[in-house]
Amino acid sequence: MSQPIVPKFEDLDIDRLAKLTGKIVVLVPATGTMDVGTRRVNKLMKGTLKNFISRTEFEEMKTGAATTFNAPLGMDASGVVLLKSAARPSVDHLRDLGATAAKAIGHSDVHLLLAKPYKVEELLFGLSLRRYQFTYHKTADDKPYGAVTALTNKPAETAAAYSNLDAVAQGVFFTRDLVNEPANVLTTSDFADRLVALKDLGVTVKVLEEADMEKLGMGSLLSVGHGSKSPTKLVCMEWNGGGDEPPFALVGKGVVFDTGGISLKPGAGMEDMTMDMGGAGVVAGVMKTLALRKAKANIVGIVGLVENMPDALSTRPGDVVKSMKGDTIEVINTDAEGRLVLADALWYCQETYNPTGIIDLATLTGAIIIGLGHDNAGVFSNDDTLSANFLKAADVEQEGAWRMPLGAGYDKLIESRIADIKNVGGRAAGSITAAQFLQRFVKPDMPWIHLDIAGVASVKSETSFAPKGATGWGVKALNRLIADKYEA
Ligand code: BES
Ligand code: ZN
Ligand code: ZN
């Protein structure tokens, strides 16, 4: 697994600055005022920084941007990176500065001069998230990242403040690795093994095998994996840090590869369907974060792991399957398999854990990408309070999320001629009919959110906090929602 940075926290001793190697990062607010560390660097550089700050080049620099002075005379450092910051940086701004620093320093060792009294741990968090790389399958490109040292006036306090954020970064990296991993590596069994390993952190992990699920009547979930050599699994993770209170639940779609099944997808772009386990990946990342930071909350995470392949044994379009709830489903399109996975996972979750609420996550529909693009996930909910709390948490964490409607009117679109319900509604409102299908498997008074993350789980161009590929969208927001709800 790729590991987030492990920063060293040391006292900002300005007499050491001349001899430090690698890159040195200094923060200069838009006002141009240099702090004590920056003044010393400026002196060693014979006034270069001061000269730069006094010119229009500094004035024209965008707040949040970086400029690098390579091979500075008078110092052992390979470069000095000047970050232009806001005078009173917000948490968002500090994280953005960290991400900008990550790009400016590349693979070098780095010392960050963080003399200010603001939350410098947030800058390190942004740097850590942006310094992710997925290189397991590159045999030539194994260049490791250098060390990160934060030089502050209060190293012990900064280190303590950073440790919670590091737990979040580790959860995000876990999710990204899972989502980036190809399907021949991340099979259902391999995925389950990686979740079972969370036991080392104190997570209780239970794996239901096909025989267990048959006994429970999970004909909907099992129908998706009939064509695959990889066994279908339902993995239940419990983090019990909250005493006797009933749990809150997260449920994820874990389709390790989605060919569409007999309703085969077109070839172009099909390789992207390695990310169709993104919902399960986020659930896994959140569980890891909660365990690492020993959250005072009871959270259960359930993921349905399955591969959707065409085969003689595959479910056919037109087949009728029976869910654990007892409702029969006409499978019109075998490519609308995510809802079949979640139907049984949601029902099992409620029957087994009777949670106080459920959030499910799934790369469920292409239609959500048509509606919202790659900046926002679709939020569908039967509970205004839970939904508002989630949207707030997502906003604070800079993870785009936009509420979408539900409504009984859409149910007509998924009425089946021969069964209780059918698994597709047609082109109109494709993401809503999918959510409406899921709602049938949510008990009437259960507070519930469905997050359609098809557009945000993995993207083709880099984002503020990740290179292109898996983003880890949702880990930060869900972690914050849980912290706000149970630990405030
Ligand atoms: N996994 C896909 C949805 C998806 C599309 C995720 C693009 C990520 C990027 C899902 O299983 C699917 O194929 N949905 C169909 C539903 C349709 C058949 C009703 C879709 O969106 O086309
Ligand atoms: Zn599909
Ligand atoms: Zn799918």
Side-chain angles (χ1 to χ4, degrees):
M1 308 306 275
S2 57
Q3 287 302 321
I5 60 166
V6 183
K8 280 178 270 176
F9 295 90
E10 294 176 3
D11 243 321
L12 175 50
D13 171 3
I14 57 172
D15 291 330
R16 284 175 58 207
L17 296 180
K19 294 277 159 228
L20 296 180
T21 54
K23 298 242 160 83
I24 294 184
V25 174
V26 300
L27 264 70
V28 178
T31 53
T33 322
M34 290 186 285
D35 63 25
V36 54
T38 311
R39 284 202 300 274
R40 175 58 67 91
V41 172
N42 176 59
K43 195 170 158 198
L44 292 165
M45 291 171 78
K46 313 212 171 6
T48 305
L49 292 182
K50 191 171 178 213
N51 183 36
F52 177 77
I53 290 164
S54 68
R55 290 169 182 243
T56 53
E57 279 83 351
F58 180 74
E59 208 179 308
E60 282 167 2
M61 242 179 116
K62 282 206 183 98
T63 304
T67 191
T68 302
F69 301 86
N70 282 316
L73 282 171
M75 300 183 76
D76 288 355
S78 64
V80 170
V81 177
L82 182 155
L83 281 177
K84 182 171 175 180
S85 73
R88 275 206 208 89
S90 63
V91 168
D92 283 5
H93 183 59
L94 287 165
R95 289 183 184 183
D96 289 339
L97 286 171
T100 304
K103 290 185 72 177
I105 60 190
H107 284 74
S108 306
D109 288 341
V110 62
H111 288 82
L112 298 121
L113 272 52
L114 302 169
K116 291 282 164 135
Y118 45 68
K119 297 182 168 184
V120 294
E121 65 276 7
E122 297 286 355
L123 188 149
L124 293 169
F125 183 51
L127 190 158
S128 188
L129 289 175
R130 191 61 188 74
R131 227 184 198 205
Y132 172 84
Q133 57 179 359
F134 187 75
T135 53
Y136 304 107
H137 304 295
K138 286 195 183 279
T139 56
D141 181 10
D142 57 355
K143 200 173 165 195
Y145 278 128
V148 175
T149 309
L151 302 176
T152 82
N153 296 327
K154 294 179 178 162
E157 283 173 34
T158 313
Y162 184 70
S163 81
N164 269 338
L165 294 170
D166 178 60
V168 182
Q170 291 202 46
V172 171
F173 277 36
F174 188 37
T175 302
R176 288 179 184 171
D177 279 354
L178 290 166
V179 172
N180 279 328
E181 202 68 274
N184 62 328
V185 176
L186 192 81
T187 60
T188 55
S189 300
D190 182 82
F191 198 155
D193 290 347
R194 295 189 193 200
L195 299 180
V196 169
L198 294 176
K199 281 183 182 173
D200 294 348
L201 301 176
V203 179
T204 305
V205 187
K206 176 178 78 179
V207 182
L208 273 67
E209 304 293 345
E210 285 180 355
D212 305 314
M213 290 184 273
E214 259 156 41
K215 275 194 210 115
L216 289 161
M218 295 190 181
S220 180
L221 166 56
L222 286 169
S223 76
V224 176
H226 280 161
S228 172
K229 283 253 162 79
S230 295
T232 298
K233 291 171 190 272
L234 190 80
V235 182
C236 307
M237 298 162 273
E238 284 174 60
W239 172 253
N240 295 310
D244 294 333
E245 70 190 19
F248 187 83
L250 304 174
V251 176
K253 167 181 173 182
V255 176
V256 294
F257 195 75
D258 181 12
T259 62
I262 298 299
S263 312
L264 193 64
K265 286 181 181 293
M270 200 202 275
E271 68 280 5
D272 292 342
M273 285 302 118
T274 55
M275 56 73 102
D276 207 23
M277 35 52 66
V282 174
V283 174
V286 175
M287 297 309 291
K288 181 163 186 173
T289 292
L290 297 176
L292 284 170
R293 69 174 186 79
K294 302 203 170 13
K296 293 185 179 53
N298 291 342
I299 307 294
V300 34
I302 297 182
V303 295
L305 307 181
V306 57
E307 186 180 39
N308 189 18
M309 297 289 271
D311 180 81
L313 297 177
S314 294
T315 299
R316 289 162 287 254
D319 284 2
V320 174
V321 299
K322 189 165 194 168
S323 65
M324 182 185 175
K325 181 187 171 194
D327 289 7
T328 55
I329 304 163
E330 186 186 6
V331 181
I332 299 291
N333 189 320
T334 63
D335 196 12
E337 83 298 340
R339 62 200 81 181
L340 300 175
V341 174
L342 289 175
D344 281 338
L346 285 166
W347 200 256
Y348 177 81
C349 174
Q350 293 164 96
E351 292 287 288
T352 312
Y353 297 98
N354 191 24
T356 58
I358 304 179
I359 297 181
D360 80 66
L361 297 105
T363 48
L364 203 62
T365 65
I368 202 70
I369 308 176
I370 305 301
L372 298 176
H374 300 284
D375 287 346
N376 284 287
V379 180
F380 301 82
S381 182
N382 61 359
D383 188 293
D384 290 345
T385 310
L386 182 60
S387 164
N389 290 343
F390 177 77
L391 289 169
K392 195 176 130 220
D395 184 50
V396 171
E397 296 294 342
Q398 301 188 69
E399 291 181 323
W402 194 261
R403 187 146 182 205
M404 301 283 288
L406 288 167
Y410 299 102
D411 284 335
K412 284 191 209 63
L413 302 171
I414 47 174
E415 273 171 16
S416 162
R417 182 176 58 85
I418 61 166
D420 296 334
I421 191 172
K422 60 180 179 180
N423 78 330
V424 296
R427 274 173 62 79
S431 303
I432 307 175
T433 50
Q436 215 61 45
F437 179 98
L438 296 180
Q439 190 171 21
R440 237 188 125 102
F441 298 89
V442 175
K443 294 183 180 179
D445 297 324
M446 178 62 62
W448 161 73
I449 297 178
H450 157 58
L451 298 172
D452 193 335
I453 62 169
V456 295
S458 182
V459 294
K460 301 272 181 216
S461 43
E462 65 172 328
T463 53
S464 309
F465 296 109
K468 57 182 130 180
T471 60
W473 183 99
V475 175
K476 288 185 289 169
L478 289 168
N479 174 64
R480 175 164 296 273
L481 179 78
I482 291 163
D484 289 351
K485 197 169 157 70
Y486 297 102
E487 302 169 282

